[in-house]
């Protein structure tokens, strides 16, 4: 079993409930991964993903091996039939098969290039590893999705919602850099499977991939979107249509207390890392309604559940 996208979750409700149960009895399955190794390959920076996935593996008795592939591995070739006389030293065909000899599970982080839309949409790195590895592969943020984050988000919403059907708003916010679409994409795919009133809000020009958004509601008026919201999930992303470009840094989209008071006392969520006073004002992030730390904590249980499912089918 691979965990490449939210689509690999058969029953989201069951997975969330199981993760919450795991959280209460963390070491219950500490023999499941005994003598098994997980290789964590990072082509990009990480804090939460790296530490929570290691912690999750350790809770299951696995031994993690971590490699910063982007800076320490050989530069990989992904195309078929290339004459490799340029900068690329090794083909993913050998690399993935070799790593599969050392590891029982391979987890990969490889962000979007934000320059080559076609390659990004094809999830070149993740797809190649899934194709050539002979062990299960886990997505720790690809060019299209971040399903470990979205599962942690689902756990967090389940824990903090009250009995009524929640209104959940995914709001774009400004950022100085061009950021990937992965977190937003997986959050949308996850929310589409929830019993919730789900609204996406962003400035014109920041429309996400229509194949992911499908018929999810988009409201261009942020203030209107925030009315009666129970959860405000904030994330910046670059333009999808004008691929990878920052087309607006409109400060009016920053999350402030003025906006939060117009919600139904909404909880504030963000996957982190977050730029203070650009994406969100200090007083919101430091308020009691901010649940970003618990959300980050749930990354361990999200990862632990995914690894448990994989180990059970191995
Ligand atoms: C990444 C993203 O996909 O948006 C990872 C989020 C889990 N975020 C960033 O790259 C933020 C970098 C910055 O400089 O603020």
């Amino acid at each position: 079993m691979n965990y490449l996208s939210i689509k690999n979750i058969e029953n989201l409700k069951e997975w969330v409930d199981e993760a919450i149960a795991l959280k209460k009895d963390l070491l219950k399955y500490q023999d499941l991964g005994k003598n098994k190794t997980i290789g964590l390959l990072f082509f990009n920076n990480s804090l939460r993903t790296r530490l929570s996935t290691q912690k999750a593996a350790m809770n299951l008795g696995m031994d993690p091996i971590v490699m910063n592939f982007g800076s320490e591995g050989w530069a990989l070739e992904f195309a078929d039939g290339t004459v490799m006389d340029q900068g690329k030293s090794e083909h993913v065909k050998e690399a993935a098969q070799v790593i599969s000899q050392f590891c029982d599970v391979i987890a990969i982080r490889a962000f979007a290039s934000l320059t080559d839309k076609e390659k990004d949409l094809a999830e070149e790195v993740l797809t190649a590893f899934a194709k050539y590895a002979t062990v299960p592969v886990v997505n720790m943020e690809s060019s299209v999705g971040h399903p470990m984050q979205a599962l942690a988000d689902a756990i967090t919403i389940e824990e903090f919602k009250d009995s009524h059907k929640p209104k959940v708003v995914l709001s774009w916010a400004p950022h100085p850099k061009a950021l990937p679409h992965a977190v937003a994409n997986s959050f949308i795919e996850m929310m589409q499977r929830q019993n919730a009133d789900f609204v996406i809000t962003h400035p014109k020009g920041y429309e996400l991939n229509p194949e992911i958004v499908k018929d999810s509601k988009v409201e261009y008026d942020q203030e209107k979107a925030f009315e009666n919201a129970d959860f405000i999930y904030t994330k910046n992303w670059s333009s999808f249509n004008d691929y990878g470009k920052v087309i607006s840094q409109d400060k009016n989209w920053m999350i402030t207390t003025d906006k939060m008071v117009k919600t139904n006392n909404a909880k504030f969520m963000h996957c982190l890392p977050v730029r203070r006073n650009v994406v969100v004002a200090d007083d919101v992030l430091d308020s009691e309604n901010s649940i970003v730390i618990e959300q980050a904590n749930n990354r361990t249980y999200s990862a632990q559940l995914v690894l448990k499912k994989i180990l059970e089918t191995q």
Side-chain angles (χ1 to χ4, degrees), residues 75-236:
L76 291 186
E77 176 61 57
F78 291 90
D80 271 334
T82 329
V83 177
M84 287 169 58
D85 60 356
Q86 299 295 314
K88 306 287 173 63
S89 311
E90 175 160 29
H91 201 283
V92 65
K93 273 189 194 180
E94 285 76 50
Q97 291 183 78
V98 169
I99 297 164
S100 301
Q101 314 294 305
F102 308 141
C103 301
D104 302 280
V105 179
I106 300 176
I108 300 164
R109 161 162 286 194
F111 286 178
S113 66
L114 295 178
T115 50
D116 190 328
K117 190 171 189 173
E118 208 178 304
K119 276 188 186 168
D120 283 353
L121 284 176
E123 297 184 290
E124 189 185 47
V125 179
L126 184 71
T127 308
F129 272 94
K131 183 171 173 192
Y132 297 116
T134 55
V135 298
V137 171
V138 173
N139 180 356
M140 297 193 296
E141 188 173 337
S142 70
S143 44
V144 173
H146 195 357
M148 298 268 258
Q149 178 67 53
L151 179 56
D153 299 338
I155 297 166
T156 311
I157 290 174
E158 182 63 29
E159 286 178 330
F160 283 91
K161 74 174 196 206
D162 56 26
S163 52
H164 80 286
K165 180 176 161 180
K167 177 172 177 183
V168 180
V169 178
L170 170 64
S171 179
W172 181 92
H175 198 287
K177 272 171 55 181
L179 294 191
H181 311 100
V183 170
N185 285 345
S186 291
F187 186 74
I188 293 168
E189 289 182 311
M190 181 278 288
M191 283 311 303
Q192 286 165 345
R193 296 170 64 167
Q194 295 275 18
N195 180 27
D197 175 10
F198 177 54
V199 181
I200 306 167
T201 184
H202 56 71
K204 289 238 161 68
Y206 276 104
E207 289 76 16
L208 287 156
N209 187 349
E211 284 175 30
I212 288 174
V213 175
K214 298 197 178 104
D215 56 4
S216 285
K217 192 173 164 195
V218 177
E219 169 58 66
Y220 292 100
D221 182 341
Q222 191 191 39
E223 210 178 302
K224 205 164 160 209
F226 276 37
E227 280 168 17
N228 292 319
D230 299 295
F231 293 89
I232 302 294
Y233 193 103
T234 306
K235 181 73 187 82
N236 168 270

Side-chain angles (χ1 to χ4, degrees), residues 10 36 41 45 63 76 93 103 120 137 145 155 174-175 189 196 205 245 264 268 272 303-304 306:
E10 277 165 34
K36 300 232 166 145
L41 311 183
N45 296 350
D63 293 311
L76 291 186
K93 273 189 194 180
C103 301
D120 283 353
V137 171
I155 297 166
H175 198 287
E189 289 182 311
K245 297 284 183 316
N264 181 31
F268 174 81
L272 306 181
Q304 197 167 327
V306 168

